[in-house]
Amino acid sequence: MFSCCVKVGFPNAGKSSLLRAISNAQPSVADYPFTTLTPHVGVIQYQDFEQIAVADIPGIISGAHENKGLGISFLKHIERCRFLLFVIDLSTAEPWQQLESLKYELEQYEKGLSERPFCVIGSKIDIPESKANFVLLQEKVKLGRLIPVSALTGENIEELLMHLRELYDGYLENTKIDGSTPVKW
């Protein structure tokens, strides 16, 4: 499987719901952890006929780099992607700790993996406590773009789609500068 970007998050962070909201994919969605047991790929269609493949992998847990949970088999999918979408559940207390833990797992698996171009997506912004938690997340996270979204209501989905296109276009431009051939869907 090759996707330009991959959604990285803890179980039940809203990754599959988000994939349904931004693409043609129909992964299973339920209100319990580990609904996703196999990767899914969704394709985003843009008006200029460009397509971006987005991978949805099972939730990463603490110790994944030591092959805990679904572990290394899914971390390998991440290393093949060109940019990362960290999906953070804003309905939980101290959401910035999720981002720190996810980056730690990626770095323990492969040095520099968490430093690829990325975006931080704050999911479940439609839940009342999420708005306050997003403000706290903004105060703690100084690097990268933060976009609060709701897969349920569609809030900020268009902004996310535009930013994904910016990341993708940047990837294409960088591969041209490097003299290599970009991998397309």
Side-chain angles (χ1 to χ4, degrees):
M1 169 181 71
F2 173 79
S3 294
C4 285
C5 65
V6 62
K7 292 186 287 79
V8 181
F10 284 114
N12 215 27
K15 297 177 301 299
S16 295
S17 296
L18 185 58
L19 187 65
R20 283 174 162 253
I22 65 172
S23 75
N24 60 351
Q26 295 296 312
S28 297
V29 174
D31 191 21
Y32 56 84
F34 297 109
T35 307
T36 303
L37 296 175
T38 59
H40 295 274
V41 177
V43 178
I44 301 170
Q45 308 272 347
Y46 288 93
Q47 288 181 343
D48 64 354
F49 302 104
E50 191 67 74
Q51 299 178 339
I52 299 176
V54 180
D56 177 27
I57 62 168
I60 302 295
I61 64 168
S62 294
H65 71 278
E66 298 170 329
N67 211 21
K68 291 184 180 171
L70 298 172
I72 291 176
S73 63
F74 293 111
L75 288 170
K76 288 181 181 185
H77 288 296
I78 297 170
E79 72 182 335
R80 288 190 285 258
C81 294
R82 304 300 175 244
F83 51 93
L84 310 172
L85 306 174
F86 289 105
V87 181
I88 305 302
D89 182 352
L90 292 175
S91 69
T92 63
E94 301 180 340
W96 60 89
Q97 289 183 345
Q98 294 172 55
L99 181 61
E100 290 171 5
S101 295
L102 291 168
K103 285 186 165 191
Y104 174 80
E105 289 300 325
L106 295 183
E107 282 303 304
Q108 293 304 304
Y109 173 71
E110 180 183 310
K111 203 77 160 148
L113 188 55
S114 73
E115 296 169 12
R116 290 186 181 177
F118 70 91
C119 174
V120 178
I121 301 166
S123 68
K124 305 179 186 180
I125 195 66
D126 54 290
I127 297 173
E129 61 269 18
S130 294
K131 293 189 187 314
N133 286 339
F134 182 69
V135 172
L136 296 173
L137 181 64
Q138 286 178 303
E139 292 171 2
K140 297 283 187 179
V141 177
K142 300 299 181 193
L143 297 173
R145 176 100 175 255
L146 285 100
I147 302 174
V149 300
S150 169
L152 181 66
T153 67
E155 185 176 346
N156 296 329
I157 293 295
E158 191 63 33
E159 178 184 349
L160 174 60
L161 290 172
M162 290 186 315
H163 186 61
L164 288 176
R165 182 61 188 263
E166 291 169 7
L167 288 169
Y168 179 74
D169 289 344
Y171 158 67
L172 293 179
E173 188 61 35
N174 287 337
T175 54
K176 287 178 189 173
I177 291 170
D178 293 345
S180 58
T181 304
V183 177
K184 292 187 136 194
W185 175 250

